[in-house]
């Protein structure tokens, strides 16, 4: 290993990745694209509004979007500050190990890996289904019917995972250039969708149940925290999740100590603006009813735009173009996120391989493309395996994955917030800025996500939380959402114990020792 000197005055082991490949704009694009705005909204907006046919946030969905932004911003600051001290592509894994030791660090890294692998099943399902929807909108009408076929959507989804894994394998520059194109198209379509929806509402050409936006939609008054706010926020943080991909690519940026952290913070703000506008416009046009195109209709909860689009754009020639663009944007969004989900996971396992928290083969980097080889291929292979497993159990379980991943996100994001405070504990009082940015803000983020995790888990564990028709989707009588989330993390504990027994060097602190930052890194 060689040492790379960083502006912050620290040194991080160079892992063979291509340094200087991404600037600030490219990092922001990777961060925003990783959240897949169009896909995330399509897959979660219905779940935020209602659950199992009963209203959850209802018209207060924009308020939930705003509330969820708060812990995301707080944790983005924690990422920014930790990245200044140690811009290592292992991010949460590396920082939590430095702060709390190898066991906590390993579990933090597993949280990143498990969340990314599991969510790939939902991403691939959307990408596969919309591949046929898009083909149907282009005129191949027989293909449109295949979008509702579990078999063919799964086949197409697997193909998407393979293609995006190959692109990630070929190099970070190729990935970034593709993200520029896909994200630009996606954002433009979301703006058009919001504009058309609001114009129709205010011009009186909307649906009978359409609503005029109200400032009260942005205030969470009247929502019970345990039964409504916590589970809704766990679902909503899913749509923000992904901005940390910008930080996971820190060793490939032009200024590893500063650019990734700035990109993470900027990404969360841009996402807030996007989600607030689209959510408000969608609620206004479709309403929150549990029938028809109402956002509370359980039949459409897995993809609200599939029913909203035809009603919004109509069946004219212009409407057909609008539908074509909408299906293309969601396809682009899901496929883009499939790619950018592989990126951070491969870099987390790369770092874990370098520090011997995983087999050393995960540390291999391609000599020409400068990308993780085994880590990238393993991520793609694991994603396909879990995708096929979840699809075989129940197609409806793919919807449950969103809440399950929300639990994992809250776990490792919250852990990062606490790690920031503990890592800087000896220098927090040097300046007011350090106290706020490295102490107060990350601590609040960690506490908020911990509270949301506990309350959300209680709701997800209820047998009636997720239904498949008239039957509850449970595992041993416990809600499937909670089982998948907690089970995924417990699997990590088992794997950690096994690896500890086989290769104990990392767990003895020999490859990545604990330390606290005692240098003045104030900017």
């Amino acid at each position: 290993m060689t040492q790379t000197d960083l502006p912050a005055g620290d040194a991080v082991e160079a892992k063979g990745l291509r340094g200087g490949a991404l600037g600030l704009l490219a990092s922001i694009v990777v961060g925003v694209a990783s959240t897949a705005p169009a896909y995330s909204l399509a897959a979660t907006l219905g779940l935020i509004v209602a659950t199992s046919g009963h209203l959850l946030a209802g018209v207060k969905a924009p308020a939930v979007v705003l509330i969820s932004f708060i812990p995301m911003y707080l944790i983005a600051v924690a990422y920014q500050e930790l990245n200044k001290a140690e811009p290592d592509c292992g991010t949460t894994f590396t920082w939590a190990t430095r702060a709390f030791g190898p066991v906590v660090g390993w579990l933090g890294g597993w949280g990143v890996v498990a969340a990314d692998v599991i969510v790939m099943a939902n991403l691939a399902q959307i990408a596969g289904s919309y591949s046929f929807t898009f083909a149907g909108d282009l005129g191949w009408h027989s293909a449109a019917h295949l979008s509702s076929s579990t078999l063919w959507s799964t086949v197409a989804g697997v193909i998407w995972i393979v293609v995006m894994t190959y692109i990630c394998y070929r190099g970070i520059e190729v990935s970034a250039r593709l993200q520029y194109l896909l994200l630009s198209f996606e954002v433009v379509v979301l703006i058009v969708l919001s504009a058309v929806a609001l114009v129709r509402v205010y011009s009186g050409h909307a649906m009978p149940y359409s609503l005029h936006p109200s400032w009260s939609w942005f205030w969470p008054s009247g929502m019970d925290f345990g039964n409504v706010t916590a589970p809704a926020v766990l679902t909503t943080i899913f749509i923000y999740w992904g901005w940390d991909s910008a930080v996971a690519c820190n060793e490939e940026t032009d200024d590893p100590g500063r650019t990734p952290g700035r990109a993470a913070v900027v990404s969360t703000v841009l996402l807030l603006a996007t989600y607030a506008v689209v959510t408000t416009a969608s609620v206004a046009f479709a309403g929150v009813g549990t029938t028809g195109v109402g956002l509370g209709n359980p039949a459409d909860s897995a993809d609200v735009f599939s029913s909203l689009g035809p009603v919004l754009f109509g069946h004219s020639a212009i409407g057909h173009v609008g539908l074509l663009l909408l299906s293309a944007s969601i396809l682009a969004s899901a496929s883009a996120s499939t790619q950018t989900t592989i990126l951070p996971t491969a870099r987390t396992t790369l770092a874990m391989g370098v520090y011997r928290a995983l087999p050393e083969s995960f540390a291999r980097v391609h000599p020409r493309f400068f990308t993780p080889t085994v880590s990238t291929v393993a991520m793609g292979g694991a994603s396909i395996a879990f995708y096929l497993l979840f699809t075989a159990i129940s197609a409806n379980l793919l919807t449950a994955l969103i809440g399950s991943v929300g639990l994992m996100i809250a776990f490792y994001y919250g852990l990062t917030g606490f790690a920031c405070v503990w890592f800087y504990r000896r220098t927090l009082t040097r300046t007011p800025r350090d106290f706020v940015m490295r102490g107060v803000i990350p601590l609040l983020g960690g506490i908020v996500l911990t509270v949301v995790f506990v309350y959300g888990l209680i709701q997800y564990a209820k047998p009636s939380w997720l239904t498949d028709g008239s039957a509850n989707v449970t595992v041993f009588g416990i809600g499937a959402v909670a089982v998948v989330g907690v089970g995924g993390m417990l699997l990590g504990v088992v794997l950690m114990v096994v690896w500890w027994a086989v290769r104990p060097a990392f767990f003895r602190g020999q490859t990545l020792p604990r330390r606290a930052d005692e240098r003045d890194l104030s900017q």
Side-chain angles (χ1 to χ4, degrees):
M1 295 295 172
T2 59
Q3 299 293 316
T4 302
D5 293 328
L6 300 166
D10 205 346
V12 170
E13 289 186 343
K15 302 174 183 64
L17 300 172
R18 187 186 295 277
L22 303 177
L24 178 60
L25 179 59
S27 296
I28 292 173
V29 168
V30 169
V32 176
S34 296
T35 66
Y39 148 75
S40 296
L41 287 168
T44 62
L45 188 52
L47 300 176
I48 297 167
V49 170
T51 177
S52 300
H54 302 288
L55 284 184
L56 192 61
V59 295
K60 297 284 187 175
V64 175
V65 169
L66 293 178
I67 294 172
S68 302
F69 165 76
I70 296 173
M72 291 299 97
Y73 173 78
L74 300 178
I75 297 303
V77 171
Y79 268 78
Q80 176 179 256
E81 295 304 312
L82 283 168
N83 187 73
K84 288 178 180 179
E86 190 157 9
D88 189 290
C89 67
T91 59
T92 296
F93 157 73
T94 303
W95 302 329
T97 301
R98 292 294 200 192
F100 300 125
V103 172
V104 176
W106 201 98
L107 292 176
W110 173 256
V112 177
V113 173
D116 286 345
V117 169
I118 290 176
V119 79
M120 285 287 281
N122 194 281
L123 282 168
Q125 180 67 15
I126 294 290
S129 176
Y130 266 91
S131 297
F132 296 113
T133 300
F134 181 62
D137 290 338
L138 284 176
W140 186 12
H141 300 296
S142 59
H145 299 291
L146 297 178
S147 64
S148 58
S149 168
T150 301
L151 172 62
W152 288 106
S153 293
T154 301
V155 170
V158 169
I159 292 173
W160 273 113
I161 293 177
V162 172
V163 170
M164 290 306 175
T165 300
Y166 176 72
I167 292 175
C168 291
Y169 186 90
R170 284 300 303 269
I172 189 67
E173 295 100 328
V174 176
S175 299
R177 285 195 294 269
L178 180 61
Q179 292 304 322
Y180 273 113
L181 176 64
L182 296 178
L183 181 62
S184 298
F185 175 72
E186 181 181 351
V187 171
V188 168
V189 173
L190 287 177
I191 292 173
V192 171
L193 180 146
S194 301
V196 171
L198 291 174
V199 167
R200 290 194 60 179
V201 168
Y202 281 106
S203 65
H205 294 87
M207 309 302 293
Y209 42 79
S210 296
L211 307 167
H212 278 214
S214 168
W215 287 112
S216 64
W217 293 4
F218 296 90
W219 188 250
S221 61
M223 292 195 301
D224 180 84
F225 180 81
N227 295 320
V228 177
T229 305
V233 167
L234 269 181
T235 300
T236 311
I237 63 175
F238 175 84
I239 68 178
Y240 285 102
W241 174 53
W243 50 261
D244 51 309
S245 295
V247 187
C249 297
N250 48 18
E251 296 186 40
E252 295 154 282
T253 61
D254 54 6
D255 188 350
R258 296 181 176 84
T259 295
R262 292 174 180 172
V265 174
V266 171
S267 295
T268 59
V269 175
L270 292 176
L271 289 168
L272 169 64
T274 302
Y275 292 148
V277 171
V278 178
T279 300
T280 301
S282 299
V283 170
F285 181 83
V288 295
T290 56
T291 59
V293 297
L295 298 181
N297 189 340
D300 302 324
S301 60
D303 178 11
V304 295
F305 288 158
S306 63
S307 60
L308 178 61
V311 177
L312 176 63
F313 291 111
H315 301 287
S316 64
I318 296 178
H320 181 73
V321 172
L323 282 174
L324 180 64
L325 293 176
L326 179 60
S327 60
S329 71
I330 297 176
L331 173 59
S333 180
S335 58
S337 189
T338 302
Q339 175 195 347
T340 49
T341 299
I342 295 171
L343 286 176
T345 313
R347 280 144 185 81
T348 295
T349 53
L350 168 69
M352 295 178 78
V354 167
Y355 297 117
R356 300 178 190 173
L358 286 177
E360 286 88 334
S361 59
F362 282 88
R364 293 176 186 169
V365 173
H366 198 284
R368 176 185 172 192
F369 303 136
F370 303 102
T371 56
T373 53
V374 174
S375 289
T376 300
V377 174
M379 170 59 182
S383 298
I384 291 174
F386 274 90
Y387 178 29
L388 295 177
L389 173 64
F390 285 125
T391 302
I393 294 173
S394 170
N396 207 35
L397 188 57
L398 295 174
T399 302
L401 296 181
I402 292 176
S404 304
V405 171
L407 292 171
M408 296 181 184
I409 298 168
F411 165 70
Y412 85 80
Y413 272 2
L415 177 60
T416 307
F418 293 131
C420 183
V421 178
W422 193 248
F423 182 82
Y424 283 113
R425 65 189 184 280
R426 296 175 183 173
T427 60
L428 284 179
T429 57
R430 285 190 177 180
T431 67
R433 180 202 176 277
D434 285 352
F435 182 73
V436 174
M437 300 295 284
R438 296 174 177 176
V440 176
I441 290 179
L443 180 61
L444 285 176
I447 291 174
V448 169
L449 287 174
T450 300
V451 172
V452 168
F453 176 94
V454 172
Y455 277 92
L457 179 60
I458 293 172
Q459 296 302 314
Y460 287 162
K462 293 180 178 179
S464 60
W465 181 262
L466 181 70
T467 60
D468 187 357
S470 59
N472 296 332
V473 182
T474 63
V475 179
F476 302 117
I478 303 172
V481 179
V483 171
V484 173
V486 176
M489 289 184 281
L490 291 179
L491 175 61
V493 175
V494 174
L495 295 176
M496 181 187 69
V497 171
V498 171
W499 184 246
W500 194 340
V502 174
R503 297 294 297 273
F506 168 76
F507 298 98
R508 292 173 179 171
Q510 296 173 359
T511 59
L512 188 62
R514 293 180 62 176
R515 73 174 176 86
D517 184 75
E518 299 181 7
R519 294 170 293 101
D520 184 4
L521 298 179
S522 57
Q523 302 302 308

